[in-house]
Amino acid sequence: MHYYYRERLWPTAWIFIATALVIPASLIVFLPINTIVGIVTAVILYLGVVTMLLLASPVVAVSDSGLIAGPARLPLEHIGQPQVFLDEEARLERGPQLDARAWLLIRGWVSPVIKIPLNDPEDPAPYWLISCRHPQQVADALSKATSAIPAPEGPR
C-alpha cells in the first residue's frame, strides 16, 4: 500500500503533564495506608494512563485505496472536495456549526480540522470531520490520490 500522507495524533506534552495529577491523587489515598503501596500505585496508575493515551492515538492517512481515520476507512470514490479549517474556524466546525450526523475523529489537543464531504448517497453521514496537525497536506494528498484513480471506461 502506498501512502500519500500519514500522521499519528500523539497527545501533546501538556496532556502528559495534566495526567500526572493522578500521582498526587493516588498518593493522598494510599500513603496513609502504606508508603510503598502508595508510591507503587501512583507509578502504576500514571504509566497506565500514559499507555492508554499512546495506544488510543489514532492514525490519519491517505493511501492509494482511500482515507484512513483511526478505525474507519473511506474509499477515494466517495470523497468530495475537502475543506481545511484552522484556529477559530476549526472551533466553530467542531462546535456550533457541527452537523450531528457527521462522522468525527476529533482530538482536543489538535486544533486544525479537515472536513471531507461524502459523495455516497447511501452513507447517512454528510461529511467526515477529522483532527489533524497538517490539514492542508491531507487535502493535497487526497487530491493526488483521487487524481491517480483511473477514469471509468464508458460504453463501447
Side-chain angles (χ1 to χ4, degrees), residues 66-86:
L67 174 67
I68 301 164
R73 307 287 186 267
L74 182 61
L76 292 173
E77 59 267 13
H78 298 303
I79 293 175
Q81 183 63 40
Q83 298 172 290
V84 171
F85 297 98
L86 306 171

Side-chain angles (χ1 to χ4, degrees), residues 26-55:
S26 59
L27 289 175
I28 287 172
V29 171
F30 289 102
L31 280 181
I33 299 168
N34 185 308
T35 303
I36 294 172
V37 170
I39 293 170
V40 169
T41 302
V43 169
I44 289 173
L45 283 176
Y46 181 66
L47 290 176
V49 168
V50 167
T51 301
M52 293 306 296
L53 281 170
L54 294 176
L55 290 175

Side-chain angles (χ1 to χ4, degrees), residues 67 74-83 114-120 126-128 139 142-143 146:
L67 174 67
L74 182 61
L76 292 173
E77 59 267 13
H78 298 303
I79 293 175
Q81 183 63 40
Q83 298 172 290
I114 185 166
K115 183 178 187 178
I116 302 162
L118 303 182
N119 296 334
D120 184 3
Y127 61 87
W128 283 20
L142 285 169
S143 177
T146 53

